[in-house]
Amino acid sequence: MEDDNYYIGLNKNPIRFEPVSKANNVFFDDANKQVFAVRSRGAMGVVMKGPEEKASASFRMEDRGDMLSIKFSPDKKILAAQRSLKTVEFINFLEDFTTDQTEYSQACKGKTTEIRGFVWSSSNEIIFVTSVGLEQYQVIPEKRLLKSLKNISLQVNWYVWLNSSSLLLVSSGTLGNTLHPFQFKSPGVITRLPKFDVDLSIIPRPPKLSLLERDVIIATIYENVYVVILRHPQAQSTGAELVLYQLQKEGPARKTDILKLDMSGRFAINVVDNLIMVHHQASKTSVIFDIKLEGKSDGFVNYHYPVLSPLGIKPFKLLLPSVNMQAGTDKTEYNCELYSANWIVFQPDIVIDAKLGCLWTLQINLQPLVTMIPDKDKLIQFLLNRSDSKSVILNVCAQMLVPGKQASLQAIAKVYDLLNLTYKQHLDTEAQLSVKYFLKNYPTIGHSSLIFKSGDSVPAGQNKKVVVEQPDMFTHVFSIFEDYKDIKYKFMVAVLIEYIRSLHQFNIPVQHYVYELIINILVHNNCFYQLHQFLQYHVLSDSKPLACLMLSLETVYPPAHQLALDMLKRIQTANEEIIEVLLSKQQLLPALRFIRSVGNVESASARKFLEAALNTNDNMIFYTVFKFFEQRNVRSRQNPRFQTGEHCEQYVKQFESLFGSDAFMPAPPIQ
């Protein structure tokens, strides 16, 4: 199948493990992303595999009964295994995953208490989630014992754990819809966040457990933590929906978004690149939601529909041992059953087929979306929030300029505004971080004195959006003008003016090479009047590189010389450049008038002016310049002679040879 037909796929190199069988059980630790194949309850060996080669290991355990759960501590030095509803066993591991063979265990408190499961909150702390609450323990491996730290009493139906945020969500109540969030950020500390109730579509009579663990996930989406609830429809005529509750630092979780599925049946949920991905088993299709895209709102909740119509995951083939060895091949291709009843999904992006022995991560393929989302405004908004989309965005922008596919200037302008809004946010964030960094590391330096030094390391910004900067546009988008010779120059100019307008709108300084491109296009098409207008009305902002470019155009457009000089004067920091330009054109008297007007007479190099004057082969020009600097010497030192450090001896000799040592002829006035 063509890649372009599918925007959701399974990663090409799944983790392979021994499939589930009578002799082999499979467990997944979603915190460490490790799959365990446990043969004969551990007696025949345990094979652990993770996303990295070094995360793989094999070891043996004593057969103490059926395994319910097995997980390593975050540092992989302690293994916890639950075989009963009352106790959890522990084994210490060395660096090479060898064990010290001595197991130790911890029972939960209370004769009728049952352990629902456990989570590692840190490398040496573990939480037992029991039927009557939470038990927090410190694991002391060298003493092979656990120390009780804290207990919380709470009726527990089930729990969900989000390792990246150290967040535990516990369900309580008859209906199961009262949720209690707990956070474990610091060792030995349990932070109890405000509980909240989840809305149910149906409340059964008599009341019974209605909100089930399989219908709840916790996910980090756009750096906010959400509890995502799958709410099944009351009737087959209406579709299911996902309800998002955003956890708050203060106050109970707030219902913020509802995602309309327009389907019913069995669903599984993943979160990939901040997209909520919902898989529907009956139709063997998936849909994606992006809560950053604008939805309908009732003033309290935002309602969203899928970004695209339902579509299946890209077909996947595996190489498996061949049954028919006589065919001459030891492997044969196997078409994996997608949306299999054997599939189990874990957060954020894991799909496991235990019977096939495969663990995949889900991936989003952005290129097909370019044709699937015809609205370029919506497409760019979507792509800007994806982690690896810059090349696709630049390709979209380039294609909008290609003959036969050219977008309207209005559509192009909208896209540029979206790109530059993100660009500006990035620049502002970087500036704020730089100030914070320097105030922290150089507290004695004032704000006005902040200077970047070579070798200083400033932390990267927190803005997760893709940033398309001016070099990206120049290299990958506007280069289209060179590739396609049939693009009309008026369109090129209009596009560049729109980009410049957008940059100005967000107060982003335009890089000189963008101006150079538009000038070169105008010059190449002999549009000098339009170029003159752009410069005169400051459509193209003043800069030294731009002035230098204008100077180089004097041979094809003589007024460019004066335009360049006017620009350099407006810049006010280009006095040296103006003097160089005037001297190169042998305009000595205008140069003298200029240094006098800006008060640079005392610091001006007499040698440079005298050399230029001598090169004019005009004795009166030379005489005037010489006398100008003689008068300067009299004013500053009461002596007409040049100092030794000015290196003007040869010009003094030349003057004396031309006019004599007692030349008292007054210099002509420099108006």
Side-chain angles (χ1 to χ4, degrees), residues 350-639:
I350 304 292
V351 173
I352 294 179
D353 190 323
K355 285 198 172 180
L356 193 58
C358 277
L359 182 153
W360 294 277
T361 54
L362 284 163
Q363 297 174 332
I364 187 87
N365 182 15
L366 298 176
Q367 191 58 49
L369 300 174
V370 173
T371 54
M372 293 180 181
I373 305 177
D375 183 343
K376 293 294 187 286
D377 196 5
K378 179 181 177 182
L379 173 64
I380 294 296
Q381 287 183 61
F382 178 87
L383 291 174
L384 280 171
N385 288 307
R386 308 286 73 82
S387 62
D388 196 23
S389 63
K390 181 181 278 193
S391 61
V392 181
I393 291 173
L394 292 171
N395 184 48
V396 170
C397 291
Q399 290 303 307
M400 293 176 79
L401 310 181
V402 171
K405 300 179 183 178
Q406 283 177 359
S408 68
L409 284 176
Q410 184 180 11
I412 291 169
K414 281 185 177 180
V415 167
Y416 290 171
D417 286 348
L418 286 171
L419 299 181
N420 290 328
L421 172 60
T422 304
Y423 187 9
K424 176 62 174 173
Q425 291 168 345
H426 166 75
L427 293 174
D428 289 347
T429 302
E430 291 297 302
Q432 292 167 10
L433 286 169
S434 297
V435 170
K436 288 180 182 177
Y437 173 80
F438 279 98
L439 289 178
K440 179 181 178 182
N441 292 278
Y442 307 100
T444 58
I445 301 178
H447 277 263
S448 60
S449 305
L450 290 181
I451 300 173
F452 285 95
K453 296 180 181 178
S454 177
D456 280 332
S457 175
V458 180
Q462 299 302 309
N463 193 337
K464 301 297 183 183
K465 281 191 172 184
V466 167
V467 179
V468 177
E469 301 177 88
Q470 293 176 69
D472 301 318
M473 294 293 289
F474 184 80
T475 305
H476 301 287
V477 178
F478 301 139
S479 59
I480 284 288
F481 297 153
E482 285 291 321
D483 300 335
Y484 291 87
K485 301 300 182 184
D486 54 340
I487 300 178
K488 294 181 179 179
Y489 80 88
K490 289 184 179 179
F491 179 74
M492 298 184 203
V493 172
V495 166
L496 290 169
I497 291 296
E498 277 300 336
Y499 186 62
I500 291 168
R501 173 208 59 79
S502 182
L503 291 169
H504 282 315
Q505 180 176 320
F506 294 101
N507 296 314
I508 301 171
V510 183
Q511 296 298 318
H512 67 88
Y513 46 76
V514 178
Y515 288 140
E516 287 179 11
L517 180 58
I518 197 170
I519 289 172
N520 288 333
I521 291 171
L522 290 170
V523 170
H524 184 71
N525 290 278
N526 296 316
C527 298
F528 297 110
Y529 176 75
Q530 191 174 2
L531 171 58
H532 201 120
Q533 295 289 94
F534 282 170
L535 292 166
Q536 194 169 1
Y537 293 103
H538 306 296
V539 175
L540 309 180
S541 299
D542 299 339
S543 71
K544 291 180 184 179
L546 193 56
C548 292
L549 177 61
M550 293 306 299
L551 287 170
S552 70
L553 297 174
E554 185 184 4
T555 54
V556 292
Y557 186 56
H561 175 75
Q562 190 58 46
L563 287 170
L565 279 179
D566 293 342
M567 184 181 293
L568 289 171
K569 288 176 185 176
R570 290 193 297 270
I571 293 171
Q572 295 183 340
T573 59
N575 293 342
E576 287 297 321
E577 287 82 355
I578 292 173
I579 292 168
E580 292 293 339
V581 169
L582 292 172
L583 292 181
S584 69
K585 304 296 289 185
Q586 295 190 341
Q587 295 179 358
L588 274 296
L589 298 185
L592 292 177
R593 284 194 292 270
F594 177 75
I595 63 171
R596 190 170 62 189
S597 70
V598 296
N600 276 6
V601 175
E602 301 303 322
S603 60
S605 169
R607 178 188 176 188
K608 180 185 292 186
F609 276 81
L610 290 168
E611 181 183 4
L614 200 59
N615 290 335
T616 62
N617 296 318
D618 186 327
N619 290 342
M620 284 310 298
I621 291 288
F622 180 66
Y623 180 89
T624 303
V625 172
F626 191 92
K627 284 296 180 180
F628 178 88
F629 283 101
E630 253 193 1
Q631 291 165 10
R632 179 198 71 174
N633 296 342
V634 170
R635 284 195 306 272
S636 60
R637 299 192 299 274
Q638 288 75 51
N639 189 326

Side-chain angles (χ1 to χ4, degrees), residues 87-115:
T87 63
V88 177
E89 300 163 4
F90 299 87
I91 307 175
N92 297 337
F93 276 74
L94 304 175
E95 293 291 338
D96 58 354
F97 284 108
T98 57
T99 70
D100 64 6
Q101 298 300 321
T102 306
E103 296 185 14
Y104 49 105
S105 65
Q106 177 66 46
C108 61
K109 298 176 180 179
K111 291 184 178 180
T112 60
T113 302
E114 294 182 351
I115 299 175

